Amino acid sequence: MPTYTIHQTHAEPPLNADWDDPTWAGAETLAITHFRLEGSDHRPATQARLLYDGQAIHGIYRVNDHYVRCIHTEHNDPVCTDSTVEFFVQPHPDRGYLNFEFNCGGALLLYHITDHQRIGDGFAAYTKTPAADGAQVLRRTSLPPIIDPEQVGPTAWTVQFRIPFALIDKYTGPLGDISGAHWRANFYKCGDRTSHPHWGSWSPVVKFDFHQPACFGDIIFEPGS
């Protein structure tokens, strides 16, 4: 499984969705390169960077896309059907995981999933977060909230986010000392109902389903200074 180190920052990145902002120079860059064969031949080059401070995880995605669609605007709408990036994170092995799903317009779906076995349109055990909790996840995108009809042609876009540790703690239990902590996570790119559907991941999944915590990679928080 891959490993990613989240470096500490003493300067919170400005929420400007700017991949080239100097603050991100201190972050490692990972790439989403494992695309499922069930998708089309569209393989949008997708990268992500993370940093952390004493209060939050800061992240940004950059996507070089070609078929961009975005129609969902409300909390917990099915954003994976739009042009979307996702961050699934599991701090503890026995307390479930959180799936942060951001479409290119900035809408968020966020569940706390404790049993990922599929039951109908949901899972065996999960909690849909309320909109008030979703609002704690600050985000900024480089695209407008709605893109319909689909935008065809080379389109580079970014999504930046800030996830408070207090929000993660609320669902998964006390996080303890973040400095030096080892968590599990995966990063995804999808577009279920675009003209060229695709499903890509950072750590490969063994079947056509992103909800596989056994396939998550490792994320390590650099010891703080």
Side-chain angles (χ1 to χ4, degrees), residues 75 108 130-139:
H75 182 68
L108 169 68
D133 282 355
Q136 295 183 47
V137 182
L138 304 182
R139 60 261 190 197

Side-chain angles (χ1 to χ4, degrees), residues 74-93:
E74 300 300 320
H75 182 68
N76 284 341
D77 275 354
V79 298
C80 66
T81 62
D82 295 335
S83 299
T84 295
V85 291
E86 304 178 349
F87 172 52
F88 289 18
V89 62
Q90 182 184 45
H92 306 297

Side-chain angles (χ1 to χ4, degrees), residues 26-167:
E28 296 185 10
T29 300
L30 63 83
I32 292 173
T33 58
H34 299 280
F35 282 85
R36 296 294 306 180
L37 296 178
E38 293 86 349
S40 67
D41 60 357
H42 182 43
R43 303 284 191 270
T46 305
Q47 298 172 301
R49 292 171 170 169
L50 297 181
L51 293 168
Y52 84 99
D53 58 24
Q55 302 299 318
I57 296 175
H58 307 274
I60 190 168
Y61 283 84
R62 179 174 65 179
V63 184
N64 289 313
D65 221 330
H66 200 94
Y67 309 97
V68 178
R69 179 176 185 263
C70 187
I71 64 171
H72 295 291
T73 60
E74 300 300 320
H75 182 68
N76 284 341
D77 275 354
V79 298
C80 66
T81 62
D82 295 335
S83 299
T84 295
V85 291
E86 304 178 349
F87 172 52
F88 289 18
V89 62
Q90 182 184 45
H92 306 297
D94 57 350
R95 297 296 301 271
Y97 60 94
L98 292 162
N99 61 322
F100 295 88
E101 304 182 9
F102 306 92
N103 70 11
C104 62
L108 169 68
L109 180 145
L110 175 58
Y111 296 166
H112 176 222
I113 301 169
T114 51
D115 186 341
H116 63 281
Q117 180 181 349
R118 296 284 187 171
I119 303 293
D121 292 333
F123 304 91
Y126 72 112
T127 300
K128 295 183 178 182
T129 63
D133 282 355
Q136 295 183 47
V137 182
L138 304 182
R139 60 261 190 197
R140 179 77 178 272
T141 72
S142 61
L143 294 179
I146 296 177
I147 300 175
D148 187 38
E150 182 178 271
Q151 182 171 309
V152 177
T155 304
W157 55 275
T158 56
V159 171
Q160 183 180 345
F161 58 85
R162 178 188 186 275
I163 302 172
F165 287 124
L167 177 62

Side-chain angles (χ1 to χ4, degrees), residues 154-217:
T155 304
W157 55 275
T158 56
V159 171
Q160 183 180 345
F161 58 85
R162 178 188 186 275
I163 302 172
F165 287 124
L167 177 62
I168 300 174
D169 183 285
K170 174 181 177 178
Y171 289 96
T172 67
L175 299 177
D177 188 2
I178 300 298
S179 175
H182 289 223
W183 294 5
R184 303 271 290 163
N186 212 343
F187 303 78
Y188 305 107
K189 171 69 182 79
C190 62
D192 294 17
R193 295 182 184 168
T194 62
S195 64
H196 290 65
H198 52 277
W199 297 274
S201 64
W202 168 63
S203 182
V205 294
V206 297
K207 64 179 181 178
F208 185 29
D209 181 3
F210 283 171
H211 291 269
Q212 297 183 67
C215 296
F216 289 1

